[in-house]
Amino acid sequence: MHKDLIHATAISNTSHESFGDIVVDGYFAKHVANHMQKSDESMTEEIVNNVYSNAASILNQCPNPTATDDFKKTGIIIGKVQSGKTSNFIALLALAFDNGYNLAVVIGGNTTELLTQNVNRIKKSFDVDGDKLKVLHSKDNYKLITPENIRRYINNGEKVIIVTLKSPQTKNKKHMSRVSELFDDPVMSRETTIIIDDEGDQATLNAKVYSKDKDIEKRVSQTYKVAIDLKEKIKRHCFISITATPQANILIKTSDKLSPDFGQLIYPGRGYCGLSVFHGEEQDKYVKEIPDDEDSLLDSTGIPSSFYEALAAFYVSGAIRKSRGDNKTHSMLIHPSVKKFDHTVVQAKVDLLLSHWRKTISLGKGDIAYQRSLRPHLFDAYEMYVKDGVKTRIFEEIEDTILDTIMKSSDALVFNSDQINARSDADQYKTRIYLGGTILDRGITISGLTITYIIRRAKGYQNVDNTEQRARWFGYKNVPFYSDYIDVCRVWATKSIKDDFASINESDEEMWSSIERNLRNGKSFKELPRVFLLQHDASHKLRLTRTNVARTKDLVSWTEWKMQDYFVSSEKAAKSNFELVENYRKNLVGIAKDYGGDNQNYYVYDIDFENFLSTVLYKFQFAEGDSFSKPILDKLFSIIRTRKLDDRIDLCWVRYKTKETRTIRDNYTFAPPFYRGRDTKPNEYGEYNYNGDRSTCDDRPNKIQVQFHYVKAKNMSDLDFYSPVICIYVPEAYASRLVVVDE
């Protein structure tokens, strides 16, 4: 690491205490940085420096171990699903130890599998002698977690990390309760401590906050109670939640002791493929829809055609990777249900099918059984990839590799609480098939995951945060010479699941841009607008988080970005709208900005809003039922006049030269996501040429901005014309929130 590249800056520090200078090139930081680069070829020195820069900024919010006054603060680190958040909190712990801390507590998951994964990851990441650092597992090292032992370690100059299961265990005093008891000791209670709550939106928050029980003590869930006890007992600490799905943490009441005082966004490194890649503009390529009228994999009628497609694609993609010299682990995930009985049923089907395929292969490629049954499935999968633009050798050149991969792959490896040896079994194979439910959700990393088959979804409402955490298919899959196989990654999902993730992508983009904008404008984390964009319809009902933790209510959606609801499908009305908007633009003096590619936008600033309403919006022909109606626009303008807000607005024509095509649903609503996101790859300077359509207001975030898109339906040949579509950005001060906390 280069010391001069690290800068620690305070973000909304609510304490008068200042940490002071932070040592960034100490013993532990160097060891962790060296391990990062040795274990991951994609971790360049620049990326490692960025990780430590984030860590230094977060440590600057924490208490300095040399001070003595009480200091209790709560923070949140927000990353992306499968983006490497663990590396960031390990770097934070390394810096803390180099700057005087002796003790850290990591609340490391609510399953033993995840707890052990965290313990092993921490030990490997520090890669130091046992007399320098003790990493204690709350189950395996139960007897060592006592005040006497911890004090002895610290007095001997050893640092201590206690990794505990996210379980209260109040009756038998294990796990979190065992850790909490440490701080009943008066000496331990004064030990400056960092508490890391991994997956901090899960389990730790109060799940009984809305209980109607008359006994106040019964309105507190046990895990939450132990977490609060920790905060009460430790006189100098910072409790930091790590999550990719912070909806619950943001939506809980700001008076809650786990409501964040400060927060930081952790951006993924190069090559990360998440929501915007899999569920953005190219979703139809990466996500294959399981037909609604097809029998389910859980039915007793046999194996559905879509599963044949997915399994064949798994082996074909493995052969394509090998043909490129990529012999790393290759995995498939089958996500059918949370029920163990269902896992058994699906396992039997998959194993029987694989047995049949292997017997067919053993007969030889010239056998009629292979030619008529197995080969067509494999060739169809190959043709799918070719059609999608994947560069590969001809089928005959990789055919033997495909068959060899089938013969050497694992059967279905069931991961649930009954299958404690599944991880060890998986390690015996390079080509692996994982099958399971909840245990394969958040926190678990599946090496080389390429194909996912997911049908798990309840019929009613789904929580955005839990649903997003099922996306184990996210991760670093576009890193040249290391992990570069995004082109062959595919997800088979039902329409409702596919729609869920498309909507979540839009919600996630909105949340990040809102947090970025507000922190940049100097707001503390508690002052953030607790507002989210969330679309749902009868086929994929979504809510932000579980209702026993935080409740929301829907209001008229006129804050942050709001999009026109319906595509104007009447050619006459669309042409009239086009002439209206384009003639208006040509009569204005504006600025054209070229961001590269087809991203050329045209900006006009400080237009009188009332005049714009009467000249353009009131004449614009919206589809029947659209929320962009005259009464709603009048309401918005009324708010401006009543509050005496700025009535000068900005206009932006997006891709006004090249225009754009978008998928339109049968009811003429837009298939999300509508907005184009940030460029997927940085330029030669490590920056992004275009930060996405939502960023066009970033230079003037306190101004209303109206966006115009000239859109043609790419999936309806009879709508062969461009129809203007309007989006509007409304700052927090102007309007009602879409989703707010129901206090």
Side-chain angles (χ1 to χ4, degrees):
M1 290 185 299
H2 292 302
K3 189 172 182 177
D4 58 353
L5 289 179
I6 305 294
H7 304 282
T9 55
I11 302 176
S12 61
N13 197 330
T14 57
S15 170
H16 296 298
E17 181 178 312
S18 175
F19 197 100
D21 292 335
I22 293 177
V23 176
V24 298
D25 58 350
Y27 174 82
F28 290 100
K30 284 182 177 178
H31 271 264
V32 169
N34 287 337
H35 176 79
M36 284 183 186
Q37 291 185 286
K38 286 180 181 178
S39 61
D40 187 342
E41 298 171 22
S42 68
M43 293 289 284
T44 63
E45 188 171 281
E46 179 186 357
I47 293 173
V48 173
N49 278 318
N50 185 54
V51 169
Y52 274 95
S53 181
N54 290 327
S57 181
I58 296 161
L59 185 61
N60 196 52
Q61 302 285 331
C62 299
N64 191 320
T66 61
T68 58
D69 293 342
D70 285 7
F71 183 115
K72 300 178 180 182
K73 194 186 285 190
T74 302
I76 188 169
I77 298 175
I78 304 170
K80 298 282 190 178
V81 172
Q82 296 280 87
S83 68
K85 300 181 297 301
T86 306
S87 297
N88 283 274
F89 84 65
I90 290 174
L92 171 61
L93 296 180
L95 283 189
F97 289 151
D98 286 332
N99 286 274
Y101 277 77
N102 297 311
L103 178 63
V105 174
V106 177
I107 305 172
N110 66 345
T111 67
T112 303
E113 174 86 10
L114 190 52
L115 171 67
T116 301
Q117 177 178 287
N118 266 316
V119 169
N120 292 338
R121 175 79 182 273
I122 291 169
K123 286 180 179 178
K124 288 180 181 178
S125 296
F126 275 92
D127 192 24
V128 297
D129 293 337
D131 61 354
K132 296 288 186 182
L133 173 67
K134 291 286 189 290
V135 182
L136 303 180
H137 188 297
S138 67
K139 180 182 178 183
D140 297 348
N141 306 121
Y142 169 77
K143 293 181 179 179
L144 298 180
I145 303 174
T146 66
E148 295 76 21
N149 274 330
I150 304 302
R151 285 201 306 268
R152 178 164 60 88
Y153 295 145
I154 292 173
N155 290 337
N156 288 337
E158 297 170 287
K159 308 295 184 180
V160 180
I161 301 175
I162 303 171
V163 190
T164 177
L165 192 69
K166 193 174 290 193
S167 172
Q169 297 285 306
T170 51
K171 289 184 179 180
N172 52 19
K173 299 300 181 184
K174 291 183 178 180
H175 300 304
M176 286 180 69
S177 290
R178 180 77 164 181
V179 176
S180 178
E181 277 193 327
L182 285 175
F183 300 99
D184 291 331
D185 180 274
V187 176
M188 291 297 301
S189 70
R190 303 301 309 180
E191 186 68 44
T192 307
T193 306
I194 283 185
I195 305 168
I196 300 292
D197 184 11
D198 195 22
E199 304 295 346
D201 61 302
Q202 184 191 37
T204 319
L205 301 177
N206 189 6
K208 293 186 177 181
V209 65
Y210 292 101
S211 170
K212 295 180 181 179
D213 200 303
K214 293 181 180 179
D215 187 345
I216 295 177
E217 292 187 2
K218 292 183 179 179
R219 298 181 196 170
V220 178
S221 55
Q222 287 301 306
T223 306
Y224 173 79
K225 183 179 186 303
V226 179
I228 297 303
D229 285 345
L230 272 173
K231 287 183 63 63
E232 291 293 333
K233 291 176 181 179
I234 307 175
K235 306 305 179 186
R236 293 179 57 74
H237 75 268
C238 194
F239 187 105
I240 301 174
S241 293
I242 315 289
T243 183
T245 48
Q247 289 87 348
N249 303 73
I250 296 174
L251 288 171
I252 60 175
K253 298 175 182 180
T254 55
S255 58
D256 192 302
K257 291 181 180 179
L258 291 187
S259 174
D261 300 307
F262 71 92
Q264 185 150 329
L265 296 171
I266 302 296
Y267 296 90
R270 67 186 180 120
Y272 174 73
C273 301
L275 275 167
S276 62
V277 171
F278 281 98
H279 303 284
E281 291 184 27
E282 293 190 290
Q283 178 174 238
D284 289 341
K285 179 174 80 173
Y286 290 113
V287 183
K288 305 303 180 182
E289 198 170 297
I290 298 173
D292 289 335
D293 58 357
E294 181 182 73
D295 289 337
S296 170
L297 189 59
L298 296 174
D299 293 338
S300 59
T301 51
I303 297 176
S305 297
S306 60
F307 186 77
Y308 277 95
E309 294 169 7
L311 190 63
F314 174 55
Y315 292 118
V316 170
S317 59
I320 291 174
R321 290 181 65 186
K322 288 178 181 178
S323 72
R324 299 169 176 173
D326 179 358
N327 293 303
K328 295 185 176 71
T329 302
H330 187 66
S331 301
M332 177 179 185
L333 170 61
I334 305 170
H335 231 328
S337 165
V338 297
K339 298 177 181 178
K340 296 176 185 177
F341 174 79
D342 290 339
H343 300 163
T344 303
V345 170
V346 174
Q347 180 186 30
K349 285 187 176 185
V350 175
D351 289 354
L352 184 62
L353 177 59
L354 283 175
S355 176
H356 175 67
W357 280 12
R358 287 168 183 150
K359 287 179 182 177
T360 302
I361 293 170
S362 67
L363 297 174
K365 288 191 296 183
D367 191 87
I368 192 170
Y370 174 73
Q371 291 292 326
R372 291 189 176 181
S373 60
L374 178 53
R375 192 177 192 276
H377 289 301
L378 301 177
F379 188 76
D380 285 348
Y382 173 85
E383 285 285 281
M384 174 198 72
Y385 281 124
V386 171
K387 183 180 178 182
D388 287 343
V390 174
K391 303 297 183 184
T392 183
R393 298 176 183 176
I394 63 173
F395 180 79
E396 287 73 17
E397 290 182 6
I398 64 170
E399 188 173 5
D400 287 340
T401 306
I402 297 172
L403 303 184
D404 184 64
T405 303
I406 296 173
M407 297 298 286
K408 292 179 179 178
S409 89
S410 74
D411 288 335
L413 301 167
V414 175
F415 278 70
N416 59 37
S417 58
D418 289 344
Q419 307 293 329
I420 59 175
N421 296 318
R423 176 70 65 185
S424 177
D425 290 345
D427 290 341
Q428 307 305 313
Y429 300 92
K430 274 290 189 73
T431 304
R432 309 167 179 173
I433 300 176
Y434 293 78
L435 194 162
T438 306
I439 203 169
L440 292 175
D441 278 359
R442 62 172 71 229
I444 294 293
T445 299
I446 300 176
S447 178
L449 180 59
T450 306
I451 302 296
T452 301
Y453 190 89
I454 180 169
I455 57 176
R456 174 188 162 194
R457 190 191 194 279
K459 293 181 180 180
Y461 276 91
Q462 293 287 288
N463 297 324
V464 166
D465 43 12
N466 287 338
T467 300
E468 187 176 350
Q469 289 287 358
R470 290 176 196 148
R472 298 297 96 194
W473 52 92
F474 296 171
Y476 292 91
K477 302 173 186 291
N478 191 23
V479 185
F481 310 112
Y482 175 72
S483 177
D484 190 8
Y485 60 101
I486 181 60
D487 61 333
V488 294
C489 291
R490 295 292 183 271
V491 179
W492 269 260
T494 61
K495 182 180 186 303
S496 58
I497 293 173
K498 182 180 178 183
D499 288 346
D500 282 347
F501 277 99
S503 293
I504 291 170
N505 177 43
E506 190 170 27
S507 179
D508 189 73
E509 290 262 354
E510 174 74 13
M511 179 185 67
W512 272 67
S513 64
S514 178
I515 293 173
E516 284 175 327
R517 187 161 41 249
N518 283 282
L519 289 180
R520 193 164 51 243
N521 291 332
K523 287 190 176 182
S524 73
F525 212 82
K526 284 189 181 294
E527 294 174 320
L528 292 181
R530 297 158 83 192
V531 54
F532 293 83
L533 171 69
L534 185 62
Q535 296 183 355
H536 69 265
D537 58 31
S539 68
H540 63 289
K541 295 178 180 178
L542 291 168
R543 61 187 171 211
L544 291 169
T545 191
R546 51 205 186 280
T547 56
N548 60 347
V549 169
R551 293 182 179 177
T552 61
K553 54 186 177 182
D554 295 343
L555 298 180
V556 177
S557 172
W558 284 99
T559 184
E560 293 286 330
W561 281 106
K562 165 67 179 170
M563 185 181 76
Q564 182 179 323
D565 299 320
Y566 295 94
F567 180 80
V568 176
S569 58
S570 162
E571 184 171 3
K572 181 179 179 181
K575 288 184 175 180
S576 173
N577 287 341
F578 185 91
E579 291 175 4
L580 172 70
V581 172
E582 186 63 5
N583 289 338
Y584 184 77
R585 182 186 69 82
K586 290 178 178 178
N587 287 322
L588 299 172
V589 177
I591 301 171
K593 296 184 180 181
D594 189 344
Y595 301 96
D598 64 347
N599 292 311
Q600 288 104 26
N601 298 347
Y602 192 81
Y603 296 84
V604 180
Y605 300 118
D606 291 319
I607 296 295
D608 180 82
F609 190 28
E610 186 173 21
N611 177 265
F612 175 73
L613 285 173
S614 60
T615 307
V616 179
L617 290 187
Y618 288 167
K619 296 179 181 178
F620 195 94
Q621 299 179 55
F622 295 101
E624 184 178 353
D626 205 298
S627 59
F628 272 82
S629 60
K630 187 174 184 300
I632 295 294
L633 294 168
D634 284 341
K635 178 182 178 182
L636 177 60
F637 187 62
S638 175
I639 292 172
I640 293 172
R641 285 183 297 188
T642 302
R643 297 183 183 176
K644 297 181 178 169
L645 300 171
D646 184 2
D647 63 354
R648 313 292 291 186
I649 68 170
D650 295 341
L651 308 178
C652 174
W653 278 261
V654 178
R655 289 174 287 281
Y656 73 107
K657 287 185 176 180
T658 57
K659 305 180 181 63
E660 49 197 309
T661 60
R662 287 289 181 269
T663 300
I664 308 298
R665 295 195 184 104
D666 291 342
N667 63 355
Y668 299 109
T669 58
F670 304 95
F674 181 79
Y675 302 93
R676 177 174 294 183
R678 175 182 287 157
D679 288 348
T680 56
K681 295 183 180 179
N683 58 27
E684 58 187 304
Y685 305 107
E687 299 173 346
Y688 294 94
N689 292 329
Y690 191 54
N691 283 317
D693 294 349
R694 295 181 188 279
S695 70
T696 59
C697 62
D698 283 0
D699 291 340
R700 292 158 66 91
N702 297 319
K703 286 276 193 180
I704 290 177
Q705 185 190 91
V706 177
Q707 269 186 10
F708 297 98
H709 297 252
Y710 294 150
V711 176
K712 181 188 290 187
K714 71 177 181 180
N715 59 318
M716 297 182 178
S717 57
D718 56 323
L719 302 182
D720 189 25
F721 53 83
Y722 286 99
S723 184
V725 176
I726 294 174
C727 302
I728 184 167
Y729 165 78
V730 182
E732 162 77 12
Y734 284 79
S736 301
R737 297 164 177 165
L738 171 62
V739 179
V740 296
V741 177
D742 187 357
E743 302 282 2

